[in-house]
Amino acid sequence: MNMGPTKRNNTKAPDLNKRRRRVYSLQEKVEMIKKIYDGASFAGVGREFGVNESTIRSIYKVRGDIMNAFTDAAPRSVNRIVRVHKDAFIQPMEKGVYLWMQDCYSKRLPVSTKRIQNRAKQIYKSLVELSDVVDKDKYTFQGSRGWVQKFIKRYNLASKLVSGDATSDDTETTRRYIEEIYKMMNEGGYLPCQVFNAVETALYWKKMPEKSYVAKEEAMTTGFKDAKDRVSLLFCCNGSGDFKAKPLLIHRSARPRPFQNISMLTLPVHWRANKNGWMTKGVFEEWFMTHFRAEVKEYCATKNISFKAILVLDNCPGYSTNLNDIQNEIKVIYLPPNTQSLLQPMNQEVMATFKLFYLDHTFEDIHKALVDDEELTVRQYWKRFNILHGVRFIGKAWQAVTQGCLLNGWRNLLPDTTPDFVGFEEDNMTRVLNMAKALPGDGFQDLNENDIWNMMESPERELNDTEVLELVDKKQNDIGTEDDDGDCVESSPTLTMSNLKKIMSYYEQLTQLIQEADPSFERKESVTAILDRGIAPYKEIYRERQALNKQSMITPLFGSFSGSPAPQKEEPVSSRYGALTIRSSTPRIQVNNIDPDSKPDFSGILSLPQSAPTNNDDNTEDEDDDPNLV
């Protein structure tokens, strides 16, 4: 009989009172991180979620990995798992097609399935040719109809691809949108003067009638480009017509040669520059936060009304989509698709009237120059006509647009609060035409009203492949060292928090020096008062930036966004029709060089989307749901 030692059973009975370990989902971890960035303490967040403070701190330390994992998991929240045969060129190609379509929609250019297929193949081919891959012949893209259908579904694009005249569905959407905007005004206590509209337009600031000998000679010049004389303008007015914001002008040069000895702050426009003279989200957001909010705030103060407003925008791809997340005073809403021609207030006769006044001032200045110098020809005048002349005429033309004209533009969006349409001012057209026909030289005497309209309604062209790829690579903000005209190009000044602090410091040093060095009490008090008035706008901007840094999330999440473009998801606001929409997006995020002190923007990523874009070509295969697949 074996009397060896018996093996002790070390198995312990389970402790039923011991707290079970809980595994938190990615979305819960993201919510924890957001609450910390909103100012909550680690202990407070722990109490809210029922965990120890140390657990919250551990989650916060790896916040970068959590955000990456969250965004990587988002596309797999759909009902099917799609395995993608990876092609490095598919993702940027689809992003380029998406941006091209958005640009066409904003310009009311027709878009069809066939055009999408052709443009996709062209962009794909350009991407391959510009890459450094070894065997480029292996990379092909068919652009089948199946891919088009999947692409439209992935990016939540409208099923009606061909734009043109408004349909009955668009008319019904327009009616519902008008009802919803009045409902928003009534519920929020907004007056018509607190409803604003901004619109971007292109202006060819140096363009002669096509029949004139000057235009014919320019067209024959080698290397002549319309793009050289094109600027982007952003105009804004309110529903009562008594507010006109200072226009935003986007040029290709930060400081052309005619502006070398001129302060850019004294111009009748807010001057901004990028390589192609396009509106970008960064430029628009800077205009909105720095200029528009300040002007609206000052306007509300003069009217003795509360500082709140509604800004109506179209679906231009250059407009920022997170404006409602970084401030609370101005609610930004967007027009429904395919309703721009029906509802956009500033796209009615307002822009046509502005361009008519611009031509009026241009032709008037030509006549004045010819009278002052009898030996001067139109060709010689036109050769020395530069962007500085154009900017001055832009300011005069916008100032000449009357309140009645602005009210006429709002008659479709706010029909119950605007007067009856009084029609266009035909005398202005007659005046411009007569001045143009009176110019000396071949072709001017043969002009008619259609020629003047053609000058104002310069047809918008669609983006070419090079421009699309520049948008994809986000290089449109890069400013070159010299433009095509040989104009000097400098970096655009940036009013950063660091610069604002320097301005405040220099101001304090200067005022202190004046107080100590000047023996005249009256003189130093007078000069100090002037300095106080001059520094006041910078102090206001500094205080607003400080408040935004504490209360809002103004820095994009951990750096740059990359991957698929955010499909424009239109969320209904208090409406079962979804007529009144505020755009939101779910960007894919790439974390590079995490800054622990930066505050990320969680807008649009705190809930897993029901559907998300996945980058796949025609060669995709569906698989059954696999719970182990992350």
Side-chain angles (χ1 to χ4, degrees), residues 156 177 180-181 184 187 190 288 309-315 319-328 330-337 566-575 577-586 603-604:
N156 290 331
Y177 188 88
E180 289 299 327
I181 198 170
M184 176 180 287
E187 293 179 351
Y190 296 96
F288 178 87
I310 298 175
L311 176 61
V312 183
L313 299 174
D314 57 26
N315 292 278
Y319 294 160
S320 180
T321 58
N322 66 334
L323 300 176
N324 290 311
D325 300 324
I326 61 179
Q327 53 84 45
N328 300 318
I330 301 176
K331 184 181 293 295
V332 182
I333 61 177
Y334 299 85
L335 295 172
Q568 302 302 322
K569 180 181 178 183
E570 297 178 348
E571 299 177 352
V573 180
S574 304
S575 171
Y577 300 111
L580 189 60
T581 56
I582 299 179
R583 290 192 305 193
S584 64
S585 58
T586 305
S603 59

Side-chain angles (χ1 to χ4, degrees), residues 599-619:
K599 182 178 288 187
D601 185 0
F602 293 90
S603 59
I605 66 169
L606 284 182
S607 59
L608 292 174
Q610 296 301 320
S611 61
T614 56
N615 298 312
N616 52 0
D617 193 5
D618 303 325
N619 302 321

Side-chain angles (χ1 to χ4, degrees), residues 99-116:
L99 293 172
W100 166 76
M101 292 181 64
Q102 289 294 95
D103 181 73
C104 289
Y105 287 149
S106 66
K107 296 175 180 177
R108 303 297 294 173
L109 297 175
V111 178
S112 63
T113 300
K114 189 66 176 176
R115 296 192 67 204
I116 293 176

Side-chain angles (χ1 to χ4, degrees), residues 11 52 86 108 232 263-264 280 285 295-296 306 314 348 445 516 523 528 551:
T11 304
N52 294 329
K86 292 186 177 179
R108 303 297 294 173
S232 296
S263 172
M264 307 300 282
T280 64
E285 184 174 322
E295 292 180 32
V296 173
S306 59
D314 57 26
Q348 307 295 331
Q445 292 76 18
E516 295 175 353
R523 183 171 56 222
T528 303
Q551 301 173 4

